[in-house]
Amino acid sequence: MQIQASTLKGTRDYHPEQVVRRRYIFDTIRGVFELYGFRPLETPAMEKLETLTGKYGDEGDRLIFKVLNNGDFLAKVPDEILQQRDYRAMIPWIARRALRYDLTVPFARYVVQHRHQLQFPFKRYQIQPVWRADRPQKGRYQEFYQCDADVVGPISAASEAELIEIYAEVFRQLQLDVRIRINNRKVLEGIAEIAQVQDRWQEMTIAIDKLDKIGTEGVRHELFSKGFTSQQIETIFDLLLTEDIYILAEKLKVSAIGSQGVEELLALLPYFDEQRLPPNAVFDFTLARGLNYYTGFIVEVVPTEVQLGSIGGGGRYDDLTGVFGLPNLPGVGISFGAERIYDALETLDRFPSHLQWDISVLLLSMDAVSLQHAFHLARQLRRHHIPVDIYPQVAKFKKQMKYANQRKVPYVLIIGEDERIQKRYTLKNMATGEQQSLALDELIDFFNTHS
Amino acid sequence: MQIQASTLKGTRDYHPEQVVRRRYIFDTIRGVFELYGFRPLETPAMEKLETLTGKYGDEGDRLIFKVLNNGDFLAKVPDEILQQRDYRAMIPWIARRALRYDLTVPFARYVVQHRHQLQFPFKRYQIQPVWRADRPQKGRYQEFYQCDADVVGPISAASEAELIEIYAEVFRQLQLDVRIRINNRKVLEGIAEIAQVQDRWQEMTIAIDKLDKIGTEGVRHELFSKGFTSQQIETIFDLLLTEDIYILAEKLKVSAIGSQGVEELLALLPYFDEQRLPPNAVFDFTLARGLNYYTGFIVEVVPTEVQLGSIGGGGRYDDLTGVFGLPNLPGVGISFGAERIYDALETLDRFPSHLQWDISVLLLSMDAVSLQHAFHLARQLRRHHIPVDIYPQVAKFKKQMKYANQRKVPYVLIIGEDERIQKRYTLKNMATGEQQSLALDELIDFFNTHS
């Protein structure tokens, strides 16, 4: 039977040139993480279904990919479940395994499982794919990478300042202009308190989180429709849009929680040069962040040269591992949106140009003996760390050149009888057509200075 | 509800020190692959179930992990299947997706799907996890990495010689002594022909493949029990154990296929220095390899200093993609057994010693102001590419030193009031206890020469 060769909808192959570009992003992030003492962790793709269930809400539970038990998975399914075709009830009977939905829950599971071997503060980063059964659409995939760094255990404002610095450093290296927005959930709680909506501050936060998408008027409208009074809404916006943190501190004085939030933000400053945030970082009290497990410091990164939404975010949480029986372990973490960073770099043409070449030169040979000669030449070049390839058959020159063109190699080296005898080879620049005749040691020099 | 934090049986976490050691292996292999013009490919973890089914035999089909469809997966299952609890028949109704079982089938699927964009010869390597529902046991996991390189399209003996050279180079870099065994399936076919068992040569090959495990007597016994005559067995062994390829060539003269096999092996030699295989490579006519899609050149790598079985293998095939509708695409490939290489390096203590340190120095501070000072100092060191970490809280010195000890950092840098004022800091070697007082620029010099 012949089978149609195709990927599943919602999944994709990464072609070589894409793997190379993605690796550039991941290596940059990884390098900075390690410079800051974060250590790599990898967890299995499959976790126990019960480890993941109930952590992401009902919608999340539905979007978790479950893996069918092997062998006779129907053997123990109760009759009534089969009769009633109750697929929800059947899941735990036929699937013990599920695919990782994010990196946070596996990290929490890891910390609890191995807590006696770990030293706290424990700093880990993790760059791995996750799977979600979202309806596939342009730019949304069922398999994609997450890229997280967290520190758990004894932490302080220093840990948060470090994460801000990591964002600044990664995007400096990637040559991507960004704005790093910083806030504190306690500031939002204080604002709610002063507007006398403290019991509804989560609702307020969810509305504020939409500011980027629906604008000030949209948020006012949403709050109003939820029954917030005009007076409350005015108070909220007056506080939110305060630009100076010291003025906000004055306004929040009457709120204990709000004052603590401001204090936690100000506590970041002594860690930076001249007691100021990095030039591309700002306090922005309208920043809310969606996830409701954040309890203090929150941060988000947006590119300034393209409209793409956030390309990074994170914050402080107080109870990562309680659900696994280890309560009150605080932490703070950030993540990078690698897929969007890829899009931003591509749109802005910021990938380093050398990434386009996989080899420095392709060796072409005119006859069987030249092919053998090419092989020995290639060995010498490779010993000098110059990546080269050889057209592996004797073939018409035209065919070999066509291959070189299509594969987009920067140079070809032509080896025929004359070249073999004189031990000087014709190097052709594929972009300019320029040719020169070089001996082996000249070739080594040439490529060591041209790459 | 509290949930037990544990991994699934058959899966495991890779702790930071393991990730670092595995990365060392993968980066070494990757570096050599790229030096030889192989390009990285990544395919999705999930493939269509029909893409994988029927490619690995009945046993393989059973061991493929199937992923349950999302939503009401029971909706379309025919009644009789439910009534009869026919789990085998139910699979295609409830699972459209499956987890990658190896890297070869997804590669074949990739080549066919994207054949119009690819340039042939197409050289790719792929380092990704695969999943198999094998019964978990010591050293056997349900999730493990494979590491393959293949070239498909126009190839020649040069392509095979290149793969031998890659094996030699990777294990040279990993400082692992190996023997690279080389044979050709056609030689085995020729031997079968001369022993007059040509119609049973696959059976013969399967028995010979067990030589390492059950020895010569075991193989003789197995062949005998399968009805091979003593005479045939003698002939087979006489030919198999021929040491000199030119003597074997004489013996195989009467077999066209056998002679072709010898010729293909000899065709490798002109590509090597002095027309000889690398010192650790040998022609070994007892090498059979299990997989039956190999049609010519075959190769296997075994470590010589530990008993571990093979740590690499591969060969030439003629029809990778026929099942996906693209017939007669030849190729040759090798793979590395990364998990066993890890075990070998660990047993022999061959991992580079610097892999044990994740940071160069941990900064400890005596008070809140020193912690801020430490942060500025860390920034300077990091700007000079020195990975450092800071204990992120003001804490008792003893507690901080305990952390430094447990985390196994090579050096700590102690910052208190005196140090801050004098701008000279106490650097302590954690192994020797030695201390010295250094200024920032001296620290930078120290770590740039000590790492």
Side-chain angles (χ1 to χ4, degrees):
Chain A
M1 185 185 60
Q2 188 182 308
I3 287 161
Q4 174 71 27
S6 59
T7 38
L8 282 160
K9 233 183 145 184
T11 72
R12 60 195 151 157
D13 294 314
Y14 295 116
H15 301 289
E17 55 278 17
Q18 293 170 325
V19 175
V20 168
R21 289 170 164 218
R22 291 167 58 82
R23 185 165 68 196
Y24 162 71
I25 295 172
F26 290 136
D27 283 353
T28 303
I29 297 172
R30 193 194 319 271
V32 176
F33 282 161
E34 297 195 351
L35 201 54
Y36 281 78
F38 285 82
R39 311 182 69 192
L41 171 69
E42 290 178 16
T43 63
M46 294 190 292
E47 294 276 351
K48 290 181 176 171
L49 178 57
E50 73 218 47
T51 297
L52 305 188
T53 306
K55 310 299 186 299
Y56 309 106
D58 288 347
E59 176 67 0
D61 281 353
R62 270 196 295 279
L63 299 183
I64 293 170
F65 278 113
K66 291 96 185 170
V67 178
L68 200 56
N69 293 343
N70 279 79
D72 184 358
F73 54 84
L74 288 179
K76 290 179 187 162
V77 179
D79 267 330
E80 60 274 26
I81 291 178
L82 273 180
Q83 297 310 327
Q84 293 167 19
R85 290 177 173 262
D86 185 347
Y87 78 95
R88 274 180 225 268
M90 196 189 277
I91 293 173
W93 293 93
I94 65 173
R96 294 191 293 118
R97 302 175 182 84
L99 294 181
R100 186 168 56 216
Y101 183 87
D102 73 359
L103 302 179
T104 305
V105 170
F107 173 52
R109 192 267 307 145
Y110 175 86
V111 167
V112 176
Q113 182 174 344
H114 303 286
R115 64 189 177 279
H116 300 301
Q117 297 117 268
L118 299 179
Q119 287 82 48
F120 296 95
F122 177 62
K123 294 170 97 169
R124 85 86 174 80
Y125 73 86
Q126 202 169 346
I127 302 176
Q128 291 193 282
V130 301
W131 293 270
R132 297 182 182 182
D134 272 310
R135 183 182 298 275
Q137 50 181 257
K138 194 177 168 346
R140 199 205 275 165
Y141 294 92
Q142 296 190 332
E143 171 174 335
F144 58 95
Y145 274 68
Q146 289 193 335
C147 180
D148 289 10
D150 289 83
V151 45
V152 294
I155 53 171
S156 71
S159 315
E160 297 166 357
E162 200 164 64
L163 294 174
I164 295 168
E165 211 169 87
I166 286 176
Y167 269 141
E169 179 60 17
V170 165
F171 290 112
R172 186 190 68 76
Q173 290 189 15
L174 291 176
Q175 297 181 271
L176 209 53
D177 279 340
V178 296
R179 198 167 73 252
I180 303 170
R181 305 167 65 200
I182 297 160
N183 197 6
N184 191 301
R185 276 287 174 91
K186 288 169 187 153
V187 166
L188 294 172
E189 253 186 282
I191 289 173
E193 193 178 343
I194 290 173
Q196 297 186 302
V197 291
Q198 56 266 55
D199 51 328
R200 304 178 66 186
W201 84 275
Q202 296 264 20
E203 249 176 293
M204 181 191 90
T205 304
I206 290 165
I208 293 170
D209 191 40
K210 298 179 187 160
L211 258 175
D212 287 341
K213 282 182 200 136
I214 61 177
T216 317
E217 281 320 300
V219 175
R220 279 179 204 273
H221 189 78
E222 175 161 330
L223 288 172
F224 195 75
S225 73
K226 289 200 166 166
F228 286 66
T229 68
S230 298
Q231 177 62 47
Q232 287 166 341
I233 294 172
E234 280 324 297
T235 306
I236 290 168
F237 270 94
D238 169 60
L239 293 165
L240 276 186
L241 298 175
T242 309
E243 292 210 349
D244 187 296
I245 190 168
Y246 298 100
I247 294 172
L248 185 72
E250 275 303 312
K251 292 179 181 173
L252 288 185
K253 232 179 192 167
V254 292
S255 161
I257 188 86
S259 297
Q260 199 190 326
V262 170
E263 220 168 86
E264 288 180 11
L265 287 175
L266 290 173
L268 296 168
L269 297 179
Y271 296 101
F272 294 105
D273 271 342
E274 301 175 25
Q275 306 252 346
R276 287 155 81 156
L277 290 179
N280 55 355
V282 288
F283 290 132
D284 181 341
F285 310 113
T286 66
L287 175 68
R289 300 285 302 153
L291 294 171
N292 58 21
Y293 58 75
Y294 292 131
T295 52
F297 166 77
I298 47 179
V299 60
E300 184 172 282
V301 183
V302 286
T304 56
E305 301 158 282
V306 272
Q307 286 265 332
L308 257 183
S310 99
I311 53 176
R316 159 84 190 230
Y317 42 85
D318 283 333
D319 187 15
L320 177 71
T321 53
V323 69
F324 295 113
L326 184 67
N328 306 321
L329 184 71
V332 57
I334 53 172
S335 75
F336 285 84
E339 318 277 347
R340 281 194 185 164
I341 293 171
Y342 186 102
D343 292 343
L345 292 176
E346 191 152 78
T347 304
L348 298 167
D349 200 14
R350 295 276 162 79
F351 283 109
S353 61
H354 69 83
L355 295 184
Q356 71 189 294
W357 315 120
D358 61 310
I359 49 171
S360 297
V361 56
L362 177 73
L363 276 52
L364 310 182
S365 43
M366 297 299 98
D367 54 75
V369 180
S370 296
L371 175 58
Q372 291 164 10
H373 193 91
F375 203 85
H376 293 282
L377 213 53
R379 182 180 300 122
Q380 298 304 321
L381 294 169
R382 286 164 177 160
R383 277 194 191 143
H384 288 84
H385 312 292
I386 300 160
V388 312
D389 205 357
I390 307 167
Y391 193 87
Q393 281 189 334
V394 178
K396 289 219 173 90
F397 185 65
K398 214 174 149 182
K399 184 177 175 187
Q400 296 188 56
M401 278 304 280
K402 188 178 163 201
Y403 173 76
N405 266 311
Q406 289 180 332
R407 186 167 161 185
K408 299 194 184 78
V409 303
Y411 292 92
V412 295
L413 190 73
I414 301 160
I415 302 150
E417 198 182 348
D418 286 357
E419 285 84 355
R420 265 190 283 133
I421 292 165
Q422 296 171 22
K423 297 203 171 175
R424 296 190 68 84
Y425 313 95
T426 308
L427 183 72
K428 178 174 179 165
N429 181 322
M430 293 295 281
T432 64
E434 227 177 311
Q435 298 200 359
Q436 51 186 317
S437 177
L438 297 176
L440 175 61
D441 52 347
E442 292 167 330
L443 278 168
I444 292 167
D445 278 357
F446 180 86
F447 287 111
N448 278 338
T449 53
H450 278 73
S451 62
Chain B
M1 186 184 59
Q2 187 182 309
I3 286 163
Q4 175 72 27
S6 60
T7 37
L8 282 160
K9 233 182 145 184
T11 72
R12 61 195 150 158
D13 295 315
Y14 294 116
H15 302 288
E17 56 277 17
Q18 293 170 325
V19 175
V20 168
R21 288 170 164 219
R22 290 167 58 82
R23 184 165 67 194
Y24 162 71
I25 295 171
F26 290 136
D27 282 353
T28 302
I29 298 171
R30 193 194 320 272
V32 177
F33 282 161
E34 297 195 350
L35 202 53
Y36 281 79
F38 285 81
R39 310 182 70 191
L41 171 68
E42 290 178 15
T43 63
M46 294 190 294
E47 293 276 352
K48 290 181 176 171
L49 178 58
E50 74 218 47
T51 298
L52 305 188
T53 306
K55 311 298 186 300
Y56 310 105
D58 288 348
E59 176 67 1
D61 280 353
R62 269 196 296 280
L63 299 184
I64 293 170
F65 278 114
K66 291 97 185 169
V67 177
L68 200 56
N69 293 343
N70 280 79
D72 185 358
F73 54 85
L74 288 180
K76 289 179 187 162
V77 180
D79 267 327
E80 60 275 24
I81 290 179
L82 272 180
Q83 297 310 329
Q84 294 168 17
R85 290 176 172 264
D86 186 347
Y87 78 94
R88 274 180 223 270
M90 197 189 275
I91 292 173
W93 294 94
I94 64 174
R96 294 190 295 117
R97 301 174 182 86
L99 294 181
R100 186 168 56 214
Y101 182 87
D102 72 359
L103 302 179
T104 304
V105 170
F107 173 52
R109 191 268 307 145
Y110 174 87
V111 167
V112 177
Q113 183 174 344
H114 303 286
R115 64 189 176 280
H116 300 301
Q117 296 117 270
L118 299 180
Q119 288 81 47
F120 296 96
F122 177 61
K123 295 170 97 171
R124 85 87 173 79
Y125 74 87
Q126 201 168 345
I127 302 176
Q128 290 193 283
V130 301
W131 294 268
R132 297 182 182 182
D134 271 311
R135 183 181 298 275
Q137 50 181 259
K138 193 176 168 345
R140 198 204 276 165
Y141 294 92
Q142 296 190 332
E143 170 174 335
F144 57 95
Y145 275 68
Q146 288 194 335
C147 180
D148 290 11
D150 289 83
V151 46
V152 293
I155 54 172
S156 71
S159 315
E160 298 167 356
E162 200 165 63
L163 294 174
I164 295 169
E165 212 171 85
I166 286 176
Y167 269 141
E169 179 60 17
V170 165
F171 290 112
R172 187 190 68 76
Q173 290 189 16
L174 292 176
Q175 297 183 272
L176 210 52
D177 278 341
V178 295
R179 200 168 70 252
I180 303 170
R181 305 166 65 201
I182 297 159
N183 197 7
N184 191 298
R185 275 288 175 90
K186 289 169 187 151
V187 166
L188 294 173
E189 253 185 282
I191 290 174
E193 194 177 341
I194 289 173
Q196 296 185 303
V197 291
Q198 56 267 53
D199 50 329
R200 302 178 67 187
W201 84 276
Q202 295 264 22
E203 250 176 292
M204 181 192 90
T205 303
I206 290 165
I208 294 170
D209 192 40
K210 298 180 186 160
L211 258 175
D212 287 341
K213 281 183 199 136
I214 61 177
T216 318
E217 280 320 299
V219 175
R220 277 178 205 272
H221 189 78
E222 175 162 330
L223 288 172
F224 195 75
S225 73
K226 290 200 165 167
F228 286 66
T229 68
S230 298
Q231 178 63 47
Q232 288 166 340
I233 295 172
E234 280 324 298
T235 307
I236 290 168
F237 271 94
D238 170 60
L239 293 165
L240 277 185
L241 299 175
T242 309
E243 292 211 349
D244 187 294
I245 190 167
Y246 297 101
I247 295 173
L248 185 72
E250 275 303 313
K251 293 178 181 174
L252 289 185
K253 233 177 191 168
V254 293
S255 161
I257 187 86
S259 297
Q260 200 192 328
V262 170
E263 220 168 87
E264 287 180 12
L265 287 175
L266 290 172
L268 296 168
L269 297 179
Y271 296 102
F272 294 105
D273 271 342
E274 303 175 24
Q275 307 251 347
R276 287 156 80 157
L277 290 179
N280 55 354
V282 288
F283 290 133
D284 181 341
F285 310 113
T286 67
L287 176 68
R289 300 287 302 154
L291 294 171
N292 58 21
Y293 58 75
Y294 292 132
T295 52
F297 167 77
I298 48 178
V299 60
E300 185 172 282
V301 183
V302 286
T304 56
E305 302 158 282
V306 273
Q307 286 266 330
L308 257 183
S310 98
I311 53 176
R316 160 83 190 233
Y317 42 84
D318 283 334
D319 187 15
L320 178 71
T321 52
V323 69
F324 296 112
L326 185 66
N328 305 321
L329 185 71
V332 56
I334 54 171
S335 76
F336 285 84
E339 319 277 347
R340 282 193 185 164
I341 293 171
Y342 186 102
D343 292 343
L345 292 176
E346 191 152 79
T347 304
L348 297 167
D349 200 14
R350 295 276 162 79
F351 282 109
S353 61
H354 69 84
L355 295 183
Q356 69 190 296
W357 315 121
D358 60 311
I359 48 170
S360 297
V361 57
L362 178 73
L363 276 51
L364 311 182
S365 44
M366 298 298 99
D367 54 74
V369 180
S370 296
L371 175 57
Q372 290 164 10
H373 194 91
F375 204 86
H376 293 282
L377 214 52
R379 182 180 300 122
Q380 298 305 322
L381 294 170
R382 286 164 176 159
R383 277 193 191 145
H384 288 84
H385 312 292
I386 300 161
V388 312
D389 205 356
I390 308 167
Y391 194 88
Q393 279 189 334
V394 179
K396 289 221 173 88
F397 185 64
K398 214 175 149 182
K399 185 178 175 186
Q400 296 189 55
M401 278 302 280
K402 189 180 162 198
Y403 174 76
N405 266 310
Q406 289 180 330
R407 187 167 160 185
K408 300 195 185 77
V409 302
Y411 291 92
V412 295
L413 189 73
I414 301 161
I415 303 150
E417 199 183 348
D418 287 356
E419 284 84 355
R420 264 191 283 132
I421 292 166
Q422 296 171 24
K423 298 204 171 173
R424 296 190 69 84
Y425 314 95
T426 308
L427 183 72
K428 179 173 179 167
N429 181 321
M430 294 294 282
T432 63
E434 228 177 310
Q435 298 199 358
Q436 50 186 317
S437 177
L438 298 175
L440 175 60
D441 52 346
E442 294 167 331
L443 278 168
I444 292 167
D445 278 356
F446 180 86
F447 286 112
N448 279 338
T449 53
H450 278 73
S451 61

